[in-house]
Amino acid sequence: MTLTRNPPFGHPMRNTHFQFAPTYRPLNHGSFGTHPAPVRAAHYTLQSQAISRPDTFISFDTFPLLAQSRSLIAPLLSVSPSEIVFVPNATTGVNTVLRNIKFEANDVVVAFSTIYPACEKTLASIGEILPVELEKVELVYPVEDEEIVRRFREKIEGVRRMGKRVRLAMFDTVLTFPGARFPWEMCVEVCKEMGVLSLIDGAHGIGLIDLTHLGKVSPDFFVSNCHKWLYTPRACAILHVPTRNQHLIRTSLPTSHGYQYLNQPPEDTSGRSNFTYLFEFVATMDYTPYLCIPSALEFREKVCGGEAAIREYCYTIARQGGECVARVLGTSVLTTEGGGMRECAFANVELPFVFKSKEEAEGGINEMEGELEISQAETIGAWIKVTAAREFDTYLQTAVHAEKLWVRFSGQIYLELSDFEWVAPRLKELCERVKKGEVSELVEGRAVVEG
């Protein structure tokens, strides 16, 4: 497919290169991402090759194409291709690292209360087998970056005073909820200073924020989805492990052909590092999303004008769109005095409800003024999600934080301010219907935990 050069960002970009349903308003890019038509065409070509000659494609063609993808994506992180492997998603990458650490008695992992739920459950699962505990740093936004780092350091010191060892700390590049740029670089520096391994959950990372300084910051482990913000097909993510730590990663998940037996002569890796060899063939699966890195990067450079241009537009439209919706609702966008949390393509807009505790509610509630019991917040958020999808063909990512209900909007190159002007009155209508009592006690279906 010939790439159309430089259609304007916004609806011209959507109409030229993205394949959404005509009536669908994609305001939640951050959860699952999407990819443009040229990348989709490249993906289909690869899948067709795999279908037409499955044995030769999987056995011979895939490996040099994987090496090409590693080489092309490495400059976005300023690390060596030999320090990057592909995994299906950030959750798999986090599991891979955590399940390779030999935790011992009194070992602690420090994370923040904003940790992604799947990562917290991973630690709970490991804790059933190995003696590791999770200690969380409590965060309620708005909170300034310097205060986050202060609490982080204080937590590590507190755990040590209890006679325990902080083996590893885990934190995000950009939080899932609230959608906020996190001071991960400063937290890595604290880890280095205090002798703690650092694991960075960059689920919202590559393609969203500038990571060309990653090699300089040099965390101990780093994972990042490519299918969210880099425009690759699902599922595609990178796991970066500096050479100094690759000996700690003994197995992929699942353990597969690249595993090397202890106390036996090493297998022939055909010149590849043990780390590369370990992850190059992790059981039979569809590797073609990994092979779409070249087409995704070509689209971003030739069509979009490069990484900086994409970031500038996405950040700006998220700010403008979030403020637009907040004005209509009569609320505000979550921010901090320093503003660092908004240096990304998310806008967290407060919904016009006042949630009260059960005790406060016993004194009376005026639902028409937006007063509701805090126990209702999750149900209301789920109702808004489902109703918006059914009635307006859009998806609103809601969540409760700081005893308030929010919608997290994503900025993206296919959106315009008119998309936010479109959703604002509809969201206001849904909130008014909530105040009138139009919320089912049970919302049909099981909601996916969105990233």
Side-chain angles (χ1 to χ4, degrees):
M1 177 180 291
T2 302
L3 295 181
T4 301
R5 290 184 179 271
N6 299 324
F9 290 146
H11 291 174
M13 179 64 74
R14 168 179 173 149
N15 296 336
T16 303
H17 288 302
F18 289 87
Q19 298 173 309
F20 298 110
T23 60
Y24 186 67
R25 301 275 182 157
L27 299 169
N28 181 44
H29 182 96
S31 285
F32 305 112
T34 192
H35 52 284
V39 177
R40 187 179 186 186
H43 191 206
Y44 282 1
T45 297
L46 290 163
Q47 289 181 319
S48 296
Q49 293 172 6
I51 290 170
S52 60
R53 293 180 174 86
D55 298 282
T56 54
F57 182 83
I58 294 172
S59 299
F60 304 136
D61 299 341
T62 295
F63 301 116
L65 292 174
L66 280 171
Q68 180 188 28
S69 288
R70 288 195 298 269
S71 294
L72 289 175
I73 204 168
L76 272 68
L77 308 174
S78 295
V79 300
S80 169
S82 65
E83 297 178 318
I84 295 174
V85 292
F86 290 102
V87 291
N89 47 62
T91 302
T92 300
V94 166
N95 268 262
T96 299
V97 173
L98 292 176
R99 295 180 187 278
N100 272 280
I101 302 296
K102 296 178 181 178
F103 293 108
E104 300 173 358
N106 292 318
D107 275 356
V108 171
V109 171
V110 169
F112 292 82
S113 59
T114 49
I115 185 174
Y116 187 57
C119 296
E120 183 171 0
K121 288 187 173 184
T122 297
L123 285 166
S125 172
I126 294 171
E128 295 180 10
I129 303 169
L130 297 174
V132 62
E133 302 172 30
L134 171 63
E135 286 281 346
K136 290 193 284 188
V137 180
E138 291 299 320
L139 292 183
V140 178
Y141 277 80
V143 57
E144 302 297 326
D145 288 352
E146 293 76 15
E147 176 63 12
I148 292 171
V149 176
R150 187 195 69 79
R151 293 184 194 178
F152 179 51
R153 183 187 300 274
E154 188 178 75
K155 175 62 72 172
I156 294 174
E157 292 171 345
V159 170
R160 287 177 171 175
R161 284 195 296 270
M162 295 163 53
K164 298 181 179 182
R165 177 176 67 161
V166 179
R167 186 70 182 279
L168 178 143
M170 179 166 54
F171 40 89
D172 302 77
T173 49
V174 176
L175 301 181
T176 293
F177 214 96
R181 175 67 155 82
F182 199 74
W184 64 275
E185 298 98 331
M186 290 191 283
C187 290
V188 170
E189 288 305 310
V190 172
C191 288
K192 289 181 178 180
E193 176 188 332
M194 304 187 78
V196 174
L197 291 172
S198 55
L199 168 56
I200 314 304
D201 179 2
H204 299 283
I206 194 165
L208 173 61
I209 60 174
D210 183 11
L211 289 169
T212 53
H213 60 312
L214 179 74
K216 183 178 180 180
V217 177
S218 193
D220 291 299
F221 309 98
F222 178 87
V223 300
S224 189
N225 288 317
C226 300
H227 56 251
K228 283 184 182 286
W229 296 95
L230 200 68
Y231 306 151
T232 69
R234 292 176 291 272
C236 178
I238 58 101
L239 167 61
H240 162 62
V241 180
T243 302
R244 68 178 186 272
N245 289 331
Q246 289 180 2
H247 68 284
L248 297 174
I249 306 299
R250 291 281 302 137
T251 182
S252 59
L253 289 184
T255 299
S256 193
H257 300 284
Y259 174 79
Q260 300 267 13
Y261 291 105
L262 280 173
N263 304 319
Q264 290 192 18
E267 297 177 13
D268 179 19
T269 64
S270 301
R272 291 162 288 187
S273 70
N274 286 343
F275 181 63
T276 299
Y277 183 68
L278 183 62
F279 288 88
E280 208 157 42
F281 187 81
V282 183
T284 302
M285 55 174 278
D286 183 6
Y287 290 86
T288 56
Y290 304 167
L291 312 183
C292 290
I293 293 291
S295 58
L297 295 182
E298 182 184 24
F299 176 84
R300 295 172 72 85
E301 182 63 33
K302 290 186 176 180
V303 177
C304 301
E307 298 300 314
I310 295 170
R311 286 196 299 270
E312 181 181 4
Y313 186 85
C314 291
Y315 291 14
T316 300
I317 197 65
R319 284 177 177 268
Q320 294 177 348
E323 298 293 347
C324 168
V325 176
R327 279 195 303 272
V328 172
L329 297 180
T331 61
S332 62
V333 179
L334 184 60
T335 191
T336 53
E337 289 184 9
M341 69 167 288
R342 294 187 68 183
E343 291 299 316
C344 64
F346 283 135
N348 307 282
V349 178
E350 182 184 354
L351 297 186
F353 306 119
V354 177
F355 290 104
K356 294 188 173 185
S357 66
K358 183 177 180 181
E359 293 74 18
E360 292 172 324
E362 289 176 354
I365 281 183
N366 187 341
E367 292 189 359
M368 293 304 295
E369 293 297 323
E371 294 182 353
L372 299 158
E373 280 194 39
I374 188 63
S375 61
Q376 297 176 277
E378 294 285 357
T379 299
I380 291 169
W383 181 86
I384 288 174
K385 281 183 185 179
V386 172
T387 307
R390 289 174 176 171
E391 298 185 10
F392 304 132
D393 201 13
T394 192
Y395 189 93
L396 300 177
Q397 171 66 315
T398 61
V400 178
H401 183 76
E403 297 187 341
K404 297 179 180 180
L405 187 58
W406 308 81
V407 173
R408 188 198 71 191
F409 291 103
S410 299
Q412 197 42 253
I413 62 171
Y414 48 70
L415 293 174
E416 294 181 354
L417 186 58
S418 62
D419 292 302
F420 296 90
E421 293 171 337
W422 172 89
V423 76
R426 289 164 175 80
L427 180 53
K428 183 177 182 180
E429 175 196 324
L430 292 176
C431 293
E432 294 299 327
R433 288 162 61 180
V434 168
K435 294 175 184 179
K436 294 176 182 178
E438 192 183 334
V439 176
S440 302
E441 286 298 321
L442 296 175
V443 178
E444 293 179 6
R446 179 182 181 274
V448 174
V449 178
E450 301 89 347

